[in-house]
Amino acid sequence: MHSRFIVPASEGRAVKVGAGQRVRIVDLEGGQVGDVFAFAADDVTEHLSASHTRASTSRLFPARGEHFVTDRRRPILTLADDTSPGWHDMLIAACDANRYAALGVRGYHASCADNLRRSLDHLGLTFPGTPQPVNVFMRIPVADGGRLSWLSAISRAGDAITFEAVMDCVVAVSACPQDLVEINGHKPTPLAIELLDGHDDPNDTKE
């Protein structure tokens, strides 16, 4: 393993990932959703786009070996491995201040939108707005008729999803602070970001 970063519950972190490196997102305690964002390293206005990815793959979420693409339709990440039950989402927007206000929160509440901004700030980067995230471990089944359900994540402690960078990029991860709907079991917990060289075994957990 090259390096490991803890993303505390309800916080975010961003890391630089070189082309060919793998980035593994680990659910440390189980049942935690992570909002994942990716930006081209040489121009952060180019970002991973969920809608462009769905158009590219004709799936709600890519299969192993398929690419996530940017808003310029260039591959940025590949789904390399997944040890979780396989529930992930690319339909739901990142939580933000307006979302929590609509849920009845008065005053400040941590959000994935704020976590993204702070994570990029730490690297000296800015992005205008909040792209649609890749919501790893998030369980939002689509029923007949198109109805969505908000269910608790069923990822287990140590479950992980691994991406391989197709280009030099910045990957940001928010350990989603949502505690008012069921997705995190009403109790956000931490995640980990692990950077591995391309030849490293994604199942090797040695630090």
Side-chain angles (χ1 to χ4, degrees):
M1 182 183 301
H2 180 66
S3 53
R4 190 178 207 236
F5 307 88
I6 300 300
V7 185
S10 300
E11 296 185 19
R13 296 291 185 271
V15 295
K16 296 180 179 179
V17 184
Q21 274 193 307
R22 291 189 171 192
V23 56
R24 179 169 57 193
I25 314 302
V26 185
D27 188 350
L28 294 177
E29 298 183 18
Q32 175 62 40
V33 168
D35 284 36
V36 178
F37 309 86
F39 305 84
D42 60 352
D43 180 1
V44 295
T45 64
E46 181 178 7
H47 60 86
L48 189 160
S49 168
S51 58
H52 290 80
T53 298
R54 292 194 302 268
S56 175
T57 62
S58 296
R59 299 177 185 270
L60 287 174
F61 197 85
R64 189 173 304 182
E66 292 185 330
H67 296 311
F68 298 81
V69 303
T70 72
D71 56 323
R72 302 177 194 175
R73 302 187 190 271
R74 297 199 300 159
I76 186 168
L77 299 174
T78 301
L79 181 56
D81 193 36
D82 184 7
T83 65
S84 79
W87 281 99
H88 309 288
D89 166 74
M90 292 199 308
L91 296 176
I92 303 301
C95 59
D96 54 24
N98 292 328
R99 170 66 166 154
Y100 289 109
L103 290 171
V105 172
R106 296 185 181 276
Y108 180 76
H109 191 291
S111 71
C112 289
D114 282 350
N115 288 344
L116 172 63
R117 178 181 54 79
R118 292 192 181 104
S119 298
L120 293 180
D121 282 348
H122 187 71
L123 296 181
L125 302 170
T126 59
F127 182 85
T130 308
Q132 164 71 54
V134 174
N135 297 307
V136 298
F137 312 129
M138 189 169 180
R139 195 159 58 116
I140 306 289
V142 182
D144 292 343
R147 184 76 177 178
L148 303 179
S149 297
W150 298 71
L151 305 181
S152 294
I154 57 172
S155 47
R156 302 147 300 198
D159 278 350
I161 184 169
T162 304
F163 306 93
E164 184 169 320
V166 181
M167 64 172 76
D168 292 346
C169 59
V170 173
V171 173
V173 179
S174 172
C176 183
Q178 179 60 263
D179 54 1
L180 301 175
V181 299
E182 188 64 27
I183 61 169
N184 296 312
H186 299 290
K187 183 184 177 182
T189 54
L191 300 171
I193 305 171
E194 297 176 348
L195 291 181
L196 305 96
D197 293 331
H199 61 273
D200 288 344
D201 180 356
N203 298 307
D204 182 2
T205 59
K206 297 190 295 294
E207 296 194 42

